Coordinates of all heavy atoms in Angstrom, one line a residue:
Chain A
A1549 N -45.7 -25.4 24.0 CA -44.9 -26.3 23.2 C -43.4 -25.8 23.0 O -42.8 -25.9 22.0 CB -45.5 -26.5 21.8
F1550 N -42.9 -25.2 24.1 CA -41.5 -24.8 24.2 C -41.1 -23.8 23.2 O -39.9 -23.8 22.7 CB -40.6 -26.1 24.1 CG -41.0 -27.1 25.1 CD1 -41.5 -28.4 24.6 CD2 -41.0 -26.9 26.5 CE1 -41.9 -29.4 25.5 CE2 -41.4 -27.9 27.4 CZ -41.8 -29.1 26.9
D1551 N -42.0 -23.0 22.7 CA -41.7 -21.9 21.8 C -41.1 -20.7 22.7 O -41.9 -20.2 23.5 CB -42.9 -21.4 21.1 CG -42.6 -20.3 20.1 OD1 -41.9 -19.4 20.5 OD2 -43.1 -20.4 18.9
P1552 N -39.9 -20.4 22.5 CA -39.3 -19.4 23.4 C -40.0 -18.0 23.4 O -40.2 -17.4 24.5 CB -37.8 -19.2 22.9 CG -37.6 -20.4 22.1 CD -38.9 -20.9 21.5
E1553 N -40.4 -17.6 22.3 CA -41.1 -16.3 22.2 C -42.5 -16.3 22.9 O -42.8 -15.5 23.7 CB -41.4 -15.9 20.7 CG -41.9 -14.5 20.5 CD -42.3 -14.3 19.1 OE1 -41.9 -15.1 18.2 OE2 -43.1 -13.4 18.8
L1554 N -43.2 -17.4 22.7 CA -44.5 -17.5 23.3 C -44.4 -17.8 24.8 O -45.1 -17.3 25.6 CB -45.3 -18.7 22.7 CG -45.8 -18.5 21.3 CD1 -46.6 -19.7 20.8 CD2 -46.6 -17.2 21.1
A1555 N -43.3 -18.6 25.2 CA -43.1 -18.9 26.6 C -42.8 -17.7 27.4 O -43.3 -17.5 28.5 CB -42.0 -19.9 26.7
E1556 N -42.0 -16.8 26.8 CA -41.7 -15.5 27.5 C -42.9 -14.7 27.7 O -43.2 -14.2 28.8 CB -40.6 -14.8 26.7 CG -40.2 -13.5 27.4 CD -39.0 -12.8 26.8 OE1 -38.5 -13.4 25.8 OE2 -38.6 -11.8 27.4
E1557 N -43.7 -14.6 26.6 CA -44.9 -13.7 26.7 C -45.9 -14.3 27.7 O -46.5 -13.6 28.5 CB -45.5 -13.6 25.3 CG -46.6 -12.5 25.3 CD -47.1 -12.4 23.9 OE1 -46.5 -12.7 22.9 OE2 -48.3 -11.9 23.8
A1558 N -46.1 -15.6 27.6 CA -47.0 -16.3 28.5 C -46.6 -16.2 30.0 O -47.4 -15.9 30.9 CB -47.2 -17.8 28.1
A1559 N -45.3 -16.4 30.3 CA -44.9 -16.3 31.7 C -45.0 -14.9 32.2 O -45.5 -14.7 33.3 CB -43.4 -16.8 31.7
Q1560 N -44.6 -13.9 31.4 CA -44.7 -12.5 31.9 C -46.1 -12.1 32.0 O -46.5 -11.4 33.0 CB -43.9 -11.6 30.8 CG -43.7 -10.2 31.3 CD -42.9 -10.1 32.5 OE1 -42.0 -10.9 32.8 NE2 -43.2 -9.1 33.4
E1561 N -47.0 -12.4 31.1 CA -48.4 -12.1 31.2 C -49.0 -12.8 32.4 O -49.9 -12.2 33.0 CB -49.1 -12.4 29.9 CG -50.5 -12.0 29.8 CD -50.7 -10.5 29.8 OE1 -49.8 -9.8 29.3 OE2 -51.8 -10.0 30.2
S1562 N -48.6 -14.0 32.7 CA -49.1 -14.7 33.8 C -48.8 -14.0 35.1 O -49.6 -13.9 36.0 CB -48.5 -16.1 33.9 OG -48.9 -16.9 32.8
L1563 N -47.6 -13.4 35.2 CA -47.2 -12.7 36.4 C -48.2 -11.5 36.6 O -48.6 -11.2 37.7 CB -45.8 -12.2 36.3 CG -44.7 -13.1 36.5 CD1 -43.3 -12.4 36.6 CD2 -44.8 -14.0 37.7
I1564 N -48.5 -10.8 35.5 CA -49.3 -9.6 35.6 C -50.7 -10.1 36.1 O -51.3 -9.4 37.0 CB -49.4 -8.9 34.2 CG1 -48.1 -8.4 33.8 CG2 -50.5 -7.8 34.2 CD1 -48.0 -8.0 32.4
R1565 N -51.2 -11.1 35.5 CA -52.6 -11.6 35.9 C -52.6 -12.1 37.3 O -53.6 -11.9 38.0 CB -53.0 -12.7 34.9 CG -53.3 -12.1 33.5 CD -54.1 -13.0 32.7 NE -54.2 -12.6 31.3 CZ -54.9 -13.3 30.4 NH1 -55.5 -14.4 30.7 NH2 -54.9 -12.8 29.2
I1566 N -51.5 -12.8 37.7 CA -51.5 -13.2 39.1 C -51.5 -12.1 40.1 O -52.2 -12.0 41.1 CB -50.2 -14.1 39.3 CG1 -50.4 -15.5 38.6 CG2 -50.0 -14.4 40.8 CD1 -49.1 -16.3 38.5
Y1567 N -50.7 -11.0 39.7 CA -50.6 -9.8 40.6 C -52.0 -9.2 40.7 O -52.4 -8.8 41.8 CB -49.6 -8.8 40.0 CG -49.5 -7.6 40.7 CD1 -48.8 -7.6 42.0 CD2 -50.0 -6.4 40.3 CE1 -48.6 -6.4 42.7 CE2 -49.8 -5.2 41.0 CZ -49.1 -5.2 42.2 OH -49.0 -4.1 42.9
K1568 N -52.7 -9.2 39.6 CA -54.1 -8.6 39.7 C -55.1 -9.5 40.4 O -56.0 -9.0 41.0 CB -54.6 -8.3 38.3 CG -53.9 -7.2 37.6 CD -54.6 -7.0 36.2 CE -54.0 -5.9 35.4 NZ -54.5 -6.0 34.0
A1569 N -54.9 -10.8 40.3 CA -55.9 -11.7 40.7 C -55.7 -12.2 42.2 O -56.7 -12.6 42.8 CB -55.9 -13.0 39.8
L1570 N -54.5 -12.0 42.7 CA -54.3 -12.5 44.1 C -55.3 -11.9 45.1 O -55.8 -12.6 46.0 CB -52.8 -12.2 44.5 CG -51.9 -13.3 44.3 CD1 -50.5 -12.9 44.7 CD2 -52.3 -14.6 45.0
P1571 N -55.6 -10.6 45.0 CA -56.6 -10.0 46.0 C -57.9 -10.7 45.9 O -58.7 -10.6 46.9 CB -56.7 -8.6 45.6 CG -55.4 -8.3 45.0 CD -55.0 -9.5 44.2
R1572 N -58.2 -11.3 44.8 CA -59.6 -12.0 44.6 C -59.5 -13.5 44.9 O -60.5 -14.1 44.8 CB -60.1 -11.7 43.2 CG -60.2 -10.3 42.8 CD -61.0 -10.2 41.5 NE -60.4 -10.8 40.4 CZ -59.5 -10.2 39.6 NH1 -59.2 -9.0 39.8 NH2 -58.9 -10.9 38.6
W1573 N -58.4 -14.0 45.4 CA -58.3 -15.4 45.6 C -59.1 -15.8 46.8 O -58.9 -15.2 47.9 CB -56.8 -15.8 45.8 CG -56.6 -17.3 46.1 CD1 -57.3 -18.3 45.5 CD2 -55.8 -17.8 47.1 NE1 -56.9 -19.5 46.0 CE2 -55.9 -19.2 47.0 CE3 -54.8 -17.3 48.0 CZ2 -55.2 -20.1 47.8 CZ3 -54.1 -18.2 48.8 CH2 -54.3 -19.6 48.7
R1574 N -60.0 -16.7 46.7 CA -61.0 -17.0 47.8 C -60.5 -18.2 48.6 O -61.2 -18.6 49.5 CB -62.3 -17.4 47.2 CG -63.0 -16.2 46.5 CD -64.4 -16.6 46.0 NE -65.0 -15.4 45.4 CZ -66.3 -15.5 44.9 NH1 -67.0 -16.6 45.0 NH2 -66.8 -14.4 44.4
K1575 N -59.4 -18.7 48.3 CA -58.8 -19.8 49.1 C -59.7 -21.0 49.2 O -59.7 -21.7 50.2 CB -58.4 -19.3 50.5 CG -57.4 -18.2 50.4 CD -57.1 -17.6 51.8 CE -56.2 -16.4 51.7 NZ -56.0 -15.7 52.9
E1576 N -60.4 -21.3 48.1 CA -61.3 -22.4 48.1 C -60.5 -23.7 47.7 O -61.0 -24.8 47.9 CB -62.5 -22.2 47.1 CG -63.5 -21.2 47.6 CD -64.5 -20.8 46.5 OE1 -64.2 -21.1 45.4 OE2 -65.5 -20.2 46.9
G1577 N -59.4 -23.5 47.0 CA -58.6 -24.6 46.6 C -57.1 -24.3 46.9 O -56.8 -23.2 47.5
P1578 N -56.2 -25.2 46.5 CA -54.8 -24.9 46.8 C -54.3 -23.7 46.0 O -54.8 -23.4 44.9 CB -54.1 -26.2 46.3 CG -55.2 -27.2 46.1 CD -56.5 -26.5 45.9
L1579 N -53.3 -23.0 46.6 CA -52.7 -21.9 45.9 C -52.1 -22.3 44.6 O -52.2 -21.6 43.6 CB -51.6 -21.3 46.8 CG -50.8 -20.1 46.2 CD1 -51.7 -18.9 46.0 CD2 -49.7 -19.7 47.2
G1580 N -51.4 -23.5 44.6 CA -50.8 -23.9 43.4 C -51.8 -24.1 42.2 O -51.5 -23.7 41.1
A1581 N -52.9 -24.7 42.5 CA -53.9 -24.9 41.5 C -54.4 -23.6 41.0 O -54.7 -23.4 39.8 CB -55.1 -25.7 42.1
Y1582 N -54.5 -22.6 41.9 CA -55.0 -21.2 41.5 C -53.9 -20.6 40.5 O -54.3 -20.0 39.5 CB -55.2 -20.4 42.7 CG -55.8 -19.0 42.5 CD1 -57.1 -18.9 42.0 CD2 -55.1 -17.9 42.7 CE1 -57.7 -17.7 41.8 CE2 -55.6 -16.6 42.5 CZ -56.9 -16.5 42.0 OH -57.5 -15.3 41.8
L1583 N -52.7 -20.7 40.9 CA -51.6 -20.1 40.1 C -51.5 -20.8 38.7 O -51.4 -20.1 37.7 CB -50.3 -20.1 40.8 CG -50.2 -19.3 42.1 CD1 -48.8 -19.4 42.7 CD2 -50.6 -17.9 41.9
Y1584 N -51.5 -22.1 38.8 CA -51.4 -22.8 37.5 C -52.6 -22.6 36.6 O -52.5 -22.5 35.4 CB -51.3 -24.4 37.8 CG -49.9 -24.8 38.2 CD1 -49.7 -25.6 39.3 CD2 -48.8 -24.5 37.4 CE1 -48.4 -26.0 39.7 CE2 -47.5 -24.9 37.8 CZ -47.4 -25.7 38.9 OH -46.1 -26.1 39.2
G1585 N -53.8 -22.4 37.2 CA -55.0 -22.1 36.5 C -54.8 -20.8 35.7 O -55.2 -20.6 34.5
I1586 N -54.3 -19.8 36.4 CA -54.1 -18.5 35.8 C -53.0 -18.6 34.6 O -53.2 -18.1 33.5 CB -53.5 -17.4 36.8 CG1 -54.7 -17.1 37.8 CG2 -53.1 -16.2 36.1 CD1 -54.2 -16.3 39.0
C1587 N -52.0 -19.4 34.9 CA -51.0 -19.6 33.8 C -51.6 -20.3 32.6 O -51.2 -20.0 31.5 CB -49.8 -20.4 34.4 SG -48.9 -19.6 35.6
R1588 N -52.5 -21.3 32.9 CA -53.1 -22.0 31.8 C -53.9 -21.1 30.9 O -53.8 -21.1 29.7 CB -54.0 -23.1 32.4 CG -54.5 -24.0 31.3 CD -55.2 -25.3 31.9 NE -56.4 -25.1 32.6 CZ -56.5 -25.3 33.9 NH1 -55.5 -25.7 34.6 NH2 -57.7 -25.0 34.5
T1589 N -54.8 -20.3 31.5 CA -55.7 -19.4 30.7 C -54.8 -18.4 30.0 O -55.1 -18.0 28.8 CB -56.7 -18.7 31.6 OG1 -56.1 -18.1 32.7 CG2 -57.8 -19.7 32.1
T1590 N -53.8 -17.9 30.7 CA -52.9 -16.9 30.0 C -52.2 -17.5 28.8 O -52.2 -16.9 27.8 CB -51.9 -16.4 31.1 OG1 -52.6 -15.9 32.2 CG2 -51.1 -15.2 30.5
S1591 N -51.7 -18.7 29.0 CA -50.9 -19.3 27.9 C -51.9 -19.6 26.8 O -51.5 -19.4 25.6 CB -50.3 -20.6 28.4 OG -49.4 -20.3 29.5
A1592 N -53.1 -20.0 27.1 CA -54.0 -20.3 26.0 C -54.4 -19.0 25.2 O -54.5 -19.0 24.0 CB -55.3 -20.9 26.6
D1593 N -54.5 -17.9 26.0 CA -54.8 -16.6 25.3 C -53.7 -16.2 24.4 O -53.9 -15.7 23.3 CB -55.1 -15.5 26.4 CG -56.4 -15.7 27.1 OD1 -57.2 -16.5 26.6 OD2 -56.7 -15.1 28.1
V1594 N -52.4 -16.4 24.9 CA -51.3 -16.0 24.2 C -51.2 -16.8 22.9 O -50.9 -16.3 21.8 CB -50.0 -16.2 25.0 CG1 -48.7 -16.1 24.1 CG2 -49.9 -15.1 26.1
M1595 N -51.4 -18.1 23.0 CA -51.4 -19.0 21.8 C -52.5 -18.6 20.8 O -52.3 -18.5 19.6 CB -51.6 -20.4 22.2 CG -50.4 -21.1 22.9 SD -50.7 -22.8 23.2 CE -50.4 -23.5 21.6

Side-chain angles (χ1 to χ4, degrees):
Chain A
F1550 310 116
D1551 182 313
E1553 187 189 344
L1554 293 183
E1556 180 169 4
E1557 192 176 337
Q1560 189 60 34
E1561 185 65 28
S1562 295
L1563 285 191
I1564 296 168
R1565 292 198 190 179
I1566 289 168
Y1567 181 71
K1568 286 183 185 172
L1570 268 179
R1572 299 193 300 271
W1573 180 40
R1574 294 182 178 185
K1575 301 176 183 172
E1576 289 170 346
L1579 176 65
Y1582 187 65
L1583 298 182
Y1584 281 128
I1586 292 171
C1587 293
R1588 184 169 69 246
T1589 51
T1590 307
S1591 302
D1593 288 346
V1594 166
M1595 285 185 78

